[in-house]
């Protein structure tokens, strides 16, 4: 935490280019963590809830279209953020819908389950994934508030 605070303070106060690089690395890291979380949730759901034995590597390779569409819509939302913020939000919601459809199709191809069972699996995975993200955000909010209070001059 202390290193993160020092990098944030150094990037915002002294060198704006360093701050931009640091934010980019944070964005890549956050995206990677969220994608790994989806892979782990899918693997655990397949192995323990639905009693199938797929390897973690096979699950990860089958979920690459989901990550592709998710990142594509995040980049599109980033481009429209400065113009109209509500358009950026709607782009993210559309990206979530397309990623959910891609998840359903990837699970259908991976597991060869019937349609209803595969739909229930996709809904369960998305529910657990978004619940874990919400929990992580609620746990990180006090830390982020402290970081913002210490880096912003009042």
């Amino acid at each position: 935490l202390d290193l993160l605070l020092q990098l944030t303070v150094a990037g915002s106060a002294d060198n704006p280019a360093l701050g931009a690089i640091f934010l980019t690395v944070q964005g890549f890291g956050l995206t990677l963590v969220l994608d790994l979380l989806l892979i782990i949730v899918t693997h655990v759901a397949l192995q323990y809830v639905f009693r199938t034995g797929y390897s973690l590597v096979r699950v990860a390779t089958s979920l690459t279209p989901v990550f592709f569409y998710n990142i594509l819509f995040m980049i599109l939302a980033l481009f429209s953020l400065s113009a109209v913020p509500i358009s950026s939000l709607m782009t993210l919601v559309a990206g979530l819908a397309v990623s959910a459809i891609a998840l359903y199709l990837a699970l259908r191809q991976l597991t060869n389950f019937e349609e209803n069972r595969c739909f229930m699996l996709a809904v369960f995975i998305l529910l657990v994934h978004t619940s874990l993200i919400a929990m992580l955000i609620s746990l990180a909010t006090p830390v982020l508030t402290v970081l913002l209070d210490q880096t912003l001059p009042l």
Side-chain angles (χ1 to χ4, degrees), residues 34-53:
L34 293 179
D35 290 345
L36 287 175
L37 183 66
L38 181 63
I39 291 170
I40 291 170
V41 166
T42 304
H43 180 66
V44 168
L46 283 173
Q47 193 164 17
Y48 295 111
V49 177
F50 285 86
R51 306 270 190 226
T52 58

Side-chain angles (χ1 to χ4, degrees), residues 20 34 54 61 70 93 120 126:
L34 293 179
Y54 295 107
T61 56
N70 199 4
V93 170
M120 293 298 293
L126 288 175

Side-chain angles (χ1 to χ4, degrees), residues 69-70 73 90-102 126 129-130:
Y69 287 116
N70 199 4
F73 278 91
M90 296 309 289
T91 305
L92 284 177
V93 170
L96 180 64
V98 170
S99 294
I101 292 170
L126 288 175
H129 185 248
T130 53

Side-chain angles (χ1 to χ4, degrees), residues 1-11 22 26 147 151:
L1 182 64
D2 188 40
L3 178 65
L4 179 67
L5 181 62
Q6 289 174 0
L7 285 174
T8 305
V9 170
F22 183 65
Q26 278 182 336
L147 284 175
T151 57

Side-chain angles (χ1 to χ4, degrees), residues 56-125:
L56 191 63
V57 174
R58 186 168 178 198
V59 171
T61 56
S62 68
L63 292 181
T64 52
V66 177
F67 305 141
F68 172 75
Y69 287 116
N70 199 4
I71 290 171
L72 179 70
F73 278 91
M74 280 185 196
I75 291 171
L76 290 174
L78 181 65
F79 287 144
S80 66
L81 184 62
S82 63
V84 182
I86 193 73
S87 172
S88 178
L89 181 65
M90 296 309 289
T91 305
L92 284 177
V93 170
L96 180 64
V98 170
S99 294
I101 292 170
L103 177 68
Y104 169 75
L105 293 174
L107 290 174
R108 183 87 192 266
Q109 183 181 10
L110 175 69
T111 59
N112 292 327
F113 286 163
E114 61 184 21
E115 291 179 5
N116 291 336
R117 192 170 182 194
C118 192
F119 179 75
M120 293 298 293
L121 174 63
V123 168
F124 177 74
I125 288 171

